[in-house]
């Protein structure tokens, strides 16, 4: 979805990350190869799969068993994000830019 967002923003003439920051999820292999390289959240899928299997196995033996498991994803910062502007004027300008692009777009 983030790749589609990058494309749509590019088609509308918006600059990533100058006008809009984009963050993806799952840190797919192509994330680092995009222009700009995509900031993304990385998950440890092998560990998540092992935990899920362990929970299912335990539920088969003890149907009343309940547990909460917390995982810690990792933020991989690349070039598709920038710090937000600090002033209200910067925010107003950013909103105006997005609104201008949306109203000029045939579908928007």
């Amino acid at each position: 979805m983030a790749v589609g967002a990058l494309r749509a923003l590019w088609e509308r003439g918006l600059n990533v990350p100058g006008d809009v920051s984009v963050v993806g999820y799952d840190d797919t292999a192509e994330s680092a190869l995009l222009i700009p390289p995509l900031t993304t959240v990385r998950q440890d899928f092998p560990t998540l799969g092992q935990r899920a299997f362990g929970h299912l196995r335990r539920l088969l033996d003890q149907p009343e068993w309940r547990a909460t498991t917390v995982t810690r994803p990792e933020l991989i910062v690349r070039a598709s994000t920038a710090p937000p502007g600090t002033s209200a004027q910067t925010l107003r300008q950013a909103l105006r830019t997005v609104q201008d692009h949306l109203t000029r777009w045939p579908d928007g």
Side-chain angles (χ1 to χ4, degrees):
M1 289 176 61
V3 172
L6 287 174
R7 172 69 186 245
L9 291 166
W10 175 79
E11 287 176 354
R12 292 176 184 217
L14 291 167
N15 177 274
V16 175
D19 298 316
V20 179
S21 288
V22 177
V23 178
Y25 207 82
D26 291 340
D27 195 29
T28 58
E30 66 272 4
S31 296
L33 304 175
L34 297 169
I35 297 173
L38 184 64
T39 295
T40 184
V41 176
R42 179 183 294 161
Q43 297 185 88
D44 182 358
F45 285 112
T47 298
L48 289 172
Q50 290 171 351
R51 285 181 182 168
F53 183 76
H55 282 267
L56 288 172
R57 210 173 57 205
R58 186 151 180 196
L59 278 169
L60 288 173
D61 294 335
Q62 301 171 349
E64 70 285 345
W65 178 78
R66 299 289 180 263
T68 301
T69 302
V70 177
T71 60
R72 294 194 183 273
E74 180 183 3
L75 179 63
I76 308 300
V77 178
R78 296 191 181 105
S80 68
T81 54
T86 55
S87 70
Q89 180 62 33
T90 303
L91 178 58
R92 277 193 290 278
Q93 181 57 42
L95 290 172
R96 210 172 291 118
T97 299
V98 171
Q99 182 180 21
D100 289 347
H101 285 278
L102 289 174
T103 55
R104 282 188 280 143
W105 193 254
D107 300 15

